[in-house]
Each structure stands twice: as structure tokens, then as C-alpha cells.
Amino acid sequence: MVLGIIATLLGAAIIAGVRTIERKALAVKKDEQRLAEPALAFWRVGGAFVIALIAWIIFDRASPEMRAGFWAVFVTGFINIFILIFMLKALSDKNTDMSLSVPILDTTPAVVVFLSWWILGQKPAPIGYVGIVLLVIGTYILNLSAFIDKAYQGRWTLKSLFGPFTEAFRKKGIRLAFCAAALGCVAINFDGMAARSMSPFLALALALVPSLVVNLIRAKNSGVLSQLRDPQRMDFLMKIYPAVVGAMLCLYWWSLTNLIVPYQATLRRMETLFIFFLAYFLLRERKNPGMRFAATVIIVIGAILVTLSAV
């Protein structure tokens, strides 16, 4: 289980670094990147698919047999098609501000706990429940600060604390993002089932196939697939992004063979903490340092409790 915890935290750190660099590099060219999104989506999913196959060949090819529950690969692959659709529609909504949806997404581990008990029969230890609650509260507060700065001019009130929930009913893009998050809470349980039914890397590759096909069709129909044939159009980050995302997904899926789903889903939210530190030191984003430090302490305590209950 210790290795599973390390793999999950490493995956969270990797994706946090990529997202922080992306935010800095692509902020100026947001509209241009939106036009190229179908090609970039196919590039990302296709690259992750290749990395997963390579990881299977190198580390796990000797045991390709399928065990009970292998059908979960097809279920999670199918669900992820709809997750992709909802997220793309949410991103295409010009009235959508991601500072509204991010705090809500931080609450998803609480939903995963119930679904994992219902679908997989997995239950955290009592101390694990406390750690999950603390992590949910800490990550919510950490991301909520950005929303309050923008919508409430930095005023922390009872109304502002629940602002993302109330705003969700007014904006189509946020509602679509919530639908994607809800489906993600279901999909991760089938991810865990699939990862334990065969090689986790082979299971990941198979689960990516539906999204790969959908993105290929979208990129071809939008006429931007040709952009991938010209490396000069992509900067260094875009060139390595598929490999980095593929490595992150491999770590996540492998960790599902060592951790129960509620613990893995919760520790993945440590990504929020890593993003905060990278933004603080690299991007010099230092608003509300006291509140963010308090949230960081809560997150760390929660992570320690989850870790202690898992080992």
C-alpha cells in the first residue's frame, strides 16, 4: 500500500506541474488553443494510449490473463465518452468560469466513498474517514479563495462559502462540469475493478480506446488533424504533454491495485496542494496567504490520516 500511496502522490505532482506550466504558457493564446482543441485532445489521449501499451509491454506483458471483473474496462471506457462530451461542452461555454467548478470538484472524494461502498464494497477505516473529510475541506477552502477574490472581492461570508454551489444553478457550463464530475465518481470505481482484473496498464489502454476513437473523429471532422503533422506548430510542452499525461495515468491505474478506491481518489486531490505551491513560488500568486496556509495544514493532516489508515 505504501507504493500505491507514493504512486498516487507522484501522479498528482506530475499533473499539477503540467497544469501550472500550461496556465502560464497558454493564457495569452486561449482562443487559439480552443480552435485546436480537437487535435490536442486526440494528441493527448492517443499519446496516453501509446504510453500505456509501452508500460504493459515492459512491466506486465508476462501476465495478460483476464480475471473476474474484466468487463469493467468496457464500462469505464463507455462512461468516459460522456465525461469527455460534458467537459468539452462545459469548456466551450463562454460564460463558464472554472473558478466556480474547481471548488466543487474538490468535494468528489466524499461522493466516491459512498459509491465505492455500494459498487465495490470497499470501506475506509474510521481514521480514514476523518482524513477524507479533512482533505475535502482543505482542498475546497484552498480553491475557494480564488472564487471569493473574483466574485466577492475577497469577502469571506456564509454566502460566499457556498457561492460555487449557488452559481452552479445559473451557469450551463458549470452544470455540465458537474455532470462530468458525477460520472467521474462512478467511473473511478470501475477503473479500480478493471485495474485489478488484468494488467492495470493493459486495462488503461483498453479503457482509452473509446475516447481515442471519439477524439479522432472530432479532430478529423473539424479539419484540424493536420496540425499534428507539423511539429513546428507545437511548443515543447505540447510535444511532451501526451507522454507526461500517459505516465500520470499509468501511476494512477497501478496505484488502484494497491489502494482501495476511496483512498486513491482522495489522495489524488493532493494535486490541489501541489498546484498551490507551484503557483506560489513560480507564478507569484500570493493572495490570501493566511487562509491558504490554514487550508494547507488541514490537507496535510488529512493526507497523513489517510496514509496511516491505509498502511
Side-chain angles (χ1 to χ4, degrees):
M1 287 190 177
V2 174
L3 291 178
I5 293 171
I6 294 174
T8 302
L9 294 178
L10 182 58
I14 290 174
I15 197 63
V18 170
R19 287 183 179 177
T20 302
I21 296 173
E22 267 190 329
R23 182 169 57 178
K24 184 176 182 179
L26 304 180
V28 179
K29 300 181 179 180
K30 182 177 180 180
D31 293 336
E32 295 180 13
Q33 289 301 324
R34 179 169 295 176
L35 293 175
E37 185 272 329
L40 292 174
F42 172 69
W43 176 239
R44 180 175 65 248
V45 176
F49 172 77
V50 172
I51 295 299
L53 283 181
I54 293 175
W56 171 58
I57 293 173
I58 295 176
F59 300 109
D60 238 357
R61 191 179 179 184
S63 57
E65 71 275 3
M66 296 184 182
R67 296 176 288 276
F70 71 90
W71 51 269
V73 170
F74 306 104
V75 176
T76 189
F78 179 76
I79 294 176
N80 274 282
I81 293 177
F82 292 94
I83 293 175
L84 172 68
I85 292 173
F86 285 133
M87 283 305 302
L88 291 176
K89 288 186 177 295
L91 291 173
S92 65
D93 184 9
K94 296 181 180 180
N95 296 319
T96 297
D97 191 332
M98 293 310 292
S99 67
L100 291 173
S101 61
V102 171
I104 303 299
L105 297 180
D106 288 330
T107 65
T108 53
V111 180
V112 172
V113 169
F114 169 75
L115 291 176
S116 297
W117 167 76
W118 183 49
I119 297 175
L120 302 177
Q122 296 180 345
K123 299 179 182 179
I127 191 176
Y129 282 112
V130 177
I132 290 172
V133 171
L134 289 177
L135 265 166
V136 168
I137 293 174
T139 52
Y140 182 81
I141 293 175
L142 193 60
N143 274 321
L144 186 67
S145 60
F147 163 73
I148 291 179
D149 283 341
K150 183 174 295 186
Y152 291 89
Q153 290 75 49
R155 296 192 300 271
W156 289 75
T157 63
L158 183 62
K159 181 180 179 181
S160 66
L161 286 176
F162 296 96
F165 289 98
T166 58
E167 290 292 328
F169 295 99
R170 303 175 186 173
K171 297 182 181 295
K172 176 183 177 182
I174 303 301
R175 292 195 297 270
L176 291 170
F178 289 169
C179 289
L183 288 175
C185 290
V186 177
I188 191 174
N189 289 283
F190 292 101
D191 291 349
M193 191 182 301
R196 292 172 182 264
S197 69
M198 63 181 81
S199 163
F201 308 123
L202 178 60
L204 170 60
L206 293 175
L208 287 172
V209 169
S211 294
L212 180 63
V213 173
V214 169
N215 279 294
L216 175 60
I217 295 174
R218 291 183 60 250
K220 187 174 181 180
N221 290 341
S222 62
V224 297
L225 191 60
S226 59
Q227 292 182 3
L228 300 179
R229 301 171 186 170
D230 184 7
Q232 299 298 326
R233 296 191 179 189
M234 293 186 288
D235 59 17
F236 178 73
L237 176 62
M238 288 297 107
K239 291 177 181 178
I240 68 171
Y241 186 61
V244 174
V245 172
M248 179 270 298
L249 288 174
C250 285
L251 287 169
Y252 279 161
W253 276 65
W254 181 83
S255 68
L256 285 169
T257 65
N258 292 266
L259 292 172
I260 62 174
V261 169
Y263 289 158
Q264 201 257 18
T266 303
L267 290 174
R268 283 170 66 163
R269 298 311 303 169
M270 289 291 288
E271 166 196 334
T272 299
L273 182 60
F274 294 133
I275 289 177
F276 163 65
F277 280 117
L278 289 172
Y280 186 87
F281 291 106
L282 297 182
L283 304 182
R284 303 293 179 178
E285 296 180 0
R286 300 181 176 180
K287 294 182 179 180
N288 296 321
M291 184 62 67
R292 294 190 176 190
F293 176 77
T296 299
V297 173
I298 295 174
I299 293 172
V300 171
I301 294 175
I304 292 174
L305 293 179
V306 170
T307 301
L308 291 175
S309 64
V311 297

CSV table of all heavy atoms in Angstrom, one decimal, residues 269-300:
chain,number,residue,atom,x,y,z
A,269,ARG,N,-6.5,14.3,-4.9
A,269,ARG,CA,-6.8,15.7,-4.7
A,269,ARG,C,-5.7,16.5,-4.1
A,269,ARG,O,-5.7,17.7,-4.0
A,269,ARG,CB,-8.0,15.9,-3.8
A,269,ARG,CG,-9.3,15.2,-4.3
A,269,ARG,CD,-9.6,15.6,-5.8
A,269,ARG,NE,-9.7,17.1,-6.0
A,269,ARG,CZ,-9.7,17.6,-7.2
A,269,ARG,NH1,-9.6,16.9,-8.3
A,269,ARG,NH2,-9.8,18.9,-7.3
A,270,MET,N,-4.6,15.8,-3.7
A,270,MET,CA,-3.4,16.5,-3.3
A,270,MET,C,-2.8,17.3,-4.5
A,270,MET,O,-1.9,18.2,-4.2
A,270,MET,CB,-2.3,15.5,-2.8
A,270,MET,CG,-2.7,14.8,-1.5
A,270,MET,SD,-2.6,15.9,-0.1
A,270,MET,CE,-0.8,16.1,0.0
A,271,GLU,N,-3.3,17.0,-5.7
A,271,GLU,CA,-2.9,17.8,-6.8
A,271,GLU,C,-3.1,19.3,-6.5
A,271,GLU,O,-2.4,20.2,-6.9
A,271,GLU,CB,-3.7,17.4,-8.0
A,271,GLU,CG,-3.7,18.3,-9.2
A,271,GLU,CD,-4.8,18.0,-10.2
A,271,GLU,OE1,-5.2,16.9,-10.3
A,271,GLU,OE2,-5.2,18.9,-10.9
A,272,THR,N,-4.2,19.6,-5.8
A,272,THR,CA,-4.6,21.0,-5.5
A,272,THR,C,-3.5,21.6,-4.7
A,272,THR,O,-3.1,22.8,-4.9
A,272,THR,CB,-5.9,21.0,-4.7
A,272,THR,OG1,-7.0,20.5,-5.5
A,272,THR,CG2,-6.3,22.4,-4.3
A,273,LEU,N,-3.0,20.9,-3.7
A,273,LEU,CA,-1.9,21.4,-2.9
A,273,LEU,C,-0.6,21.6,-3.7
A,273,LEU,O,0.0,22.7,-3.5
A,273,LEU,CB,-1.6,20.4,-1.7
A,273,LEU,CG,-0.5,20.8,-0.7
A,273,LEU,CD1,-0.9,22.1,0.0
A,273,LEU,CD2,-0.3,19.7,0.3
A,274,PHE,N,-0.3,20.7,-4.5
A,274,PHE,CA,0.9,20.9,-5.4
A,274,PHE,C,0.8,22.1,-6.3
A,274,PHE,O,1.7,22.9,-6.5
A,274,PHE,CB,1.2,19.6,-6.2
A,274,PHE,CG,1.5,18.4,-5.4
A,274,PHE,CD1,0.9,17.2,-5.6
A,274,PHE,CD2,2.5,18.5,-4.3
A,274,PHE,CE1,1.2,16.1,-4.8
A,274,PHE,CE2,2.8,17.4,-3.6
A,274,PHE,CZ,2.2,16.2,-3.8
A,275,ILE,N,-0.4,22.3,-6.9
A,275,ILE,CA,-0.7,23.4,-7.7
A,275,ILE,C,-0.5,24.7,-6.9
A,275,ILE,O,0.1,25.7,-7.4
A,275,ILE,CB,-2.1,23.4,-8.4
A,275,ILE,CG1,-2.1,22.2,-9.4
A,275,ILE,CG2,-2.5,24.7,-9.0
A,275,ILE,CD1,-3.5,22.0,-10.0
A,276,PHE,N,-1.0,24.7,-5.7
A,276,PHE,CA,-0.9,25.9,-4.9
A,276,PHE,C,0.6,26.3,-4.7
A,276,PHE,O,1.0,27.5,-4.8
A,276,PHE,CB,-1.5,25.7,-3.5
A,276,PHE,CG,-1.1,26.7,-2.5
A,276,PHE,CD1,-1.5,28.0,-2.6
A,276,PHE,CD2,-0.4,26.3,-1.3
A,276,PHE,CE1,-1.1,28.9,-1.6
A,276,PHE,CE2,-0.1,27.2,-0.4
A,276,PHE,CZ,-0.4,28.5,-0.5
A,277,PHE,N,1.4,25.3,-4.3
A,277,PHE,CA,2.8,25.6,-4.1
A,277,PHE,C,3.6,26.1,-5.4
A,277,PHE,O,4.4,27.0,-5.3
A,277,PHE,CB,3.5,24.4,-3.5
A,277,PHE,CG,3.3,24.2,-2.0
A,277,PHE,CD1,2.6,23.1,-1.5
A,277,PHE,CD2,3.7,25.1,-1.1
A,277,PHE,CE1,2.4,22.9,-0.2
A,277,PHE,CE2,3.5,25.0,0.3
A,277,PHE,CZ,2.8,23.9,0.7
A,278,LEU,N,3.2,25.4,-6.5
A,278,LEU,CA,3.9,25.8,-7.7
A,278,LEU,C,3.4,27.2,-8.1
A,278,LEU,O,4.2,28.0,-8.6
A,278,LEU,CB,3.5,24.8,-8.8
A,278,LEU,CG,4.1,23.4,-8.7
A,278,LEU,CD1,3.5,22.5,-9.8
A,278,LEU,CD2,5.7,23.5,-8.9
A,279,ALA,N,2.1,27.5,-7.9
A,279,ALA,CA,1.7,28.9,-8.3
A,279,ALA,C,2.3,29.9,-7.3
A,279,ALA,O,2.6,31.0,-7.7
A,279,ALA,CB,0.1,28.9,-8.2
A,280,TYR,N,2.5,29.5,-6.1
A,280,TYR,CA,3.0,30.4,-5.1
A,280,TYR,C,4.5,30.8,-5.4
A,280,TYR,O,4.9,32.0,-5.4
A,280,TYR,CB,2.9,29.8,-3.7
A,280,TYR,CG,3.4,30.8,-2.6
A,280,TYR,CD1,2.4,31.6,-2.0
A,280,TYR,CD2,4.7,30.8,-2.1
A,280,TYR,CE1,2.8,32.5,-1.0
A,280,TYR,CE2,5.0,31.6,-1.1
A,280,TYR,CZ,4.1,32.5,-0.5
A,280,TYR,OH,4.5,33.3,0.5
A,281,PHE,N,5.3,29.8,-5.8
A,281,PHE,CA,6.7,30.0,-6.0
A,281,PHE,C,7.1,30.4,-7.4
A,281,PHE,O,8.0,31.1,-7.6
A,281,PHE,CB,7.5,28.8,-5.5
A,281,PHE,CG,7.5,28.6,-4.0
A,281,PHE,CD1,6.7,27.5,-3.5
A,281,PHE,CD2,8.2,29.4,-3.2
A,281,PHE,CE1,6.7,27.3,-2.1
A,281,PHE,CE2,8.2,29.2,-1.8
A,281,PHE,CZ,7.4,28.1,-1.3
A,282,LEU,N,6.3,29.8,-8.4
A,282,LEU,CA,6.7,30.0,-9.8
A,282,LEU,C,5.9,31.2,-10.4
A,282,LEU,O,6.4,32.0,-11.1
A,282,LEU,CB,6.4,28.8,-10.6
A,282,LEU,CG,7.3,27.5,-10.3
A,282,LEU,CD1,7.0,26.4,-11.2
A,282,LEU,CD2,8.8,27.9,-10.3
A,283,LEU,N,4.6,31.3,-10.1
A,283,LEU,CA,3.7,32.3,-10.7
A,283,LEU,C,3.5,33.5,-9.8
A,283,LEU,O,2.9,34.5,-10.2
A,283,LEU,CB,2.4,31.7,-11.1
A,283,LEU,CG,2.4,30.5,-12.0
A,283,LEU,CD1,1.0,30.0,-12.3
A,283,LEU,CD2,3.2,30.8,-13.3
A,284,ARG,N,4.1,33.4,-8.6
A,284,ARG,CA,4.0,34.5,-7.6
A,284,ARG,C,2.5,34.9,-7.3
A,284,ARG,O,2.2,36.0,-7.0
A,284,ARG,CB,4.7,35.8,-8.1
A,284,ARG,CG,6.2,35.5,-8.5
A,284,ARG,CD,7.0,35.2,-7.3
A,284,ARG,NE,8.4,35.0,-7.6
A,284,ARG,CZ,9.4,34.8,-6.7
A,284,ARG,NH1,9.1,34.7,-5.5
A,284,ARG,NH2,10.6,34.6,-7.1
A,285,GLU,N,1.7,33.9,-7.2
A,285,GLU,CA,0.3,34.1,-6.8
A,285,GLU,C,0.2,34.0,-5.3
A,285,GLU,O,0.2,32.8,-4.8
A,285,GLU,CB,-0.7,33.1,-7.5
A,285,GLU,CG,-0.7,33.3,-9.1
A,285,GLU,CD,-1.6,32.3,-9.7
A,285,GLU,OE1,-2.2,31.4,-9.0
A,285,GLU,OE2,-1.7,32.3,-11.0
A,286,ARG,N,0.1,35.1,-4.6
A,286,ARG,CA,0.2,35.1,-3.2
A,286,ARG,C,-0.9,35.8,-2.5
A,286,ARG,O,-0.7,36.5,-1.5
A,286,ARG,CB,1.6,35.6,-2.8
A,286,ARG,CG,2.7,34.8,-3.3
A,286,ARG,CD,4.1,35.4,-2.9
A,286,ARG,NE,5.1,34.5,-3.4
A,286,ARG,CZ,6.4,34.7,-3.2
A,286,ARG,NH1,6.9,35.7,-2.5
A,286,ARG,NH2,7.3,33.8,-3.7
A,287,LYS,N,-2.1,35.6,-3.0
A,287,LYS,CA,-3.3,36.2,-2.4
A,287,LYS,C,-3.8,35.3,-1.2
A,287,LYS,O,-3.7,34.1,-1.3
A,287,LYS,CB,-4.4,36.4,-3.4
A,287,LYS,CG,-4.1,37.5,-4.5
A,287,LYS,CD,-5.3,37.6,-5.4
A,287,LYS,CE,-4.9,38.7,-6.5
A,287,LYS,NZ,-6.1,38.9,-7.4
A,288,ASN,N,-4.4,36.0,-0.2
A,288,ASN,CA,-4.9,35.2,1.0
A,288,ASN,C,-3.9,34.2,1.5
A,288,ASN,O,-4.3,33.0,1.7
A,288,ASN,CB,-6.2,34.5,0.6
A,288,ASN,CG,-7.3,35.5,0.2
A,288,ASN,OD1,-7.4,36.5,0.8
A,288,ASN,ND2,-8.1,35.1,-0.8
A,289,PRO,N,-2.7,34.6,1.8
A,289,PRO,CA,-1.7,33.6,2.2
A,289,PRO,C,-2.1,32.9,3.5
A,289,PRO,O,-1.8,31.7,3.7
A,289,PRO,CB,-0.4,34.4,2.4
A,289,PRO,CG,-0.9,35.8,2.6
A,289,PRO,CD,-2.1,35.9,1.8
A,290,GLY,N,-2.7,33.6,4.5
A,290,GLY,CA,-3.1,33.1,5.8
A,290,GLY,C,-4.1,32.0,5.6
A,290,GLY,O,-4.0,30.9,6.1
A,291,MET,N,-5.2,32.2,4.8
A,291,MET,CA,-6.2,31.3,4.6
A,291,MET,C,-5.7,30.0,3.8
A,291,MET,O,-6.0,28.9,4.1
A,291,MET,CB,-7.4,31.9,3.8
A,291,MET,CG,-8.6,31.0,3.6
A,291,MET,SD,-9.4,30.5,5.1
A,291,MET,CE,-10.0,32.0,5.7
A,292,ARG,N,-4.9,30.3,2.9
A,292,ARG,CA,-4.3,29.2,2.1
A,292,ARG,C,-3.4,28.3,2.9
A,292,ARG,O,-3.3,27.1,2.7
A,292,ARG,CB,-3.6,29.7,0.8
A,292,ARG,CG,-4.6,30.4,-0.1
A,292,ARG,CD,-3.9,30.7,-1.5
A,292,ARG,NE,-4.9,31.2,-2.4
A,292,ARG,CZ,-4.7,31.4,-3.7
A,292,ARG,NH1,-3.5,31.1,-4.2
A,292,ARG,NH2,-5.6,31.9,-4.5
A,293,PHE,N,-2.6,29.0,3.8
A,293,PHE,CA,-1.7,28.2,4.7
A,293,PHE,C,-2.6,27.3,5.6
A,293,PHE,O,-2.2,26.2,5.9
A,293,PHE,CB,-0.9,29.2,5.5
A,293,PHE,CG,0.0,28.4,6.5
A,293,PHE,CD1,1.2,27.8,6.1
A,293,PHE,CD2,-0.3,28.4,7.8
A,293,PHE,CE1,2.0,27.1,7.0
A,293,PHE,CE2,0.5,27.8,8.8
A,293,PHE,CZ,1.7,27.1,8.3
A,294,ALA,N,-3.7,27.9,6.2
A,294,ALA,CA,-4.5,27.1,7.0
A,294,ALA,C,-5.1,25.9,6.3
A,294,ALA,O,-5.2,24.8,6.8
A,294,ALA,CB,-5.7,28.0,7.6
A,295,ALA,N,-5.5,26.1,5.0
A,295,ALA,CA,-6.0,25.0,4.2
A,295,ALA,C,-5.0,24.0,3.9
A,295,ALA,O,-5.3,22.8,3.9
A,295,ALA,CB,-6.6,25.6,2.9
A,296,THR,N,-3.7,24.4,3.7
A,296,THR,CA,-2.6,23.5,3.5
A,296,THR,C,-2.4,22.6,4.7
A,296,THR,O,-2.2,21.4,4.6
A,296,THR,CB,-1.3,24.3,3.2
A,296,THR,OG1,-1.5,25.1,2.0
A,296,THR,CG2,-0.2,23.4,3.0
A,297,VAL,N,-2.5,23.2,5.9
A,297,VAL,CA,-2.3,22.4,7.1
A,297,VAL,C,-3.4,21.4,7.3
A,297,VAL,O,-3.1,20.2,7.6
A,297,VAL,CB,-2.3,23.3,8.4
A,297,VAL,CG1,-2.3,22.5,9.6
A,297,VAL,CG2,-1.1,24.3,8.3
A,298,ILE,N,-4.6,21.7,7.0
A,298,ILE,CA,-5.7,20.8,7.0
A,298,ILE,C,-5.5,19.7,6.0
A,298,ILE,O,-5.8,18.5,6.3
A,298,ILE,CB,-7.1,21.5,6.7
A,298,ILE,CG1,-7.4,22.5,7.8
A,298,ILE,CG2,-8.2,20.5,6.6
A,298,ILE,CD1,-8.6,23.4,7.6
A,299,ILE,N,-5.1,20.0,4.8
A,299,ILE,CA,-4.9,19.0,3.8
A,299,ILE,C,-3.8,18.0,4.2
A,299,ILE,O,-3.9,16.8,4.0
A,299,ILE,CB,-4.5,19.7,2.4
A,299,ILE,CG1,-5.7,20.4,1.9
A,299,ILE,CG2,-4.0,18.6,1.4
A,299,ILE,CD1,-5.3,21.3,0.7
A,300,VAL,N,-2.7,18.5,4.7
A,300,VAL,CA,-1.6,17.7,5.1
A,300,VAL,C,-2.0,16.7,6.3
A,300,VAL,O,-1.7,15.5,6.2
A,300,VAL,CB,-0.4,18.5,5.6
A,300,VAL,CG1,0.7,17.7,6.2
A,300,VAL,CG2,0.2,19.3,4.4
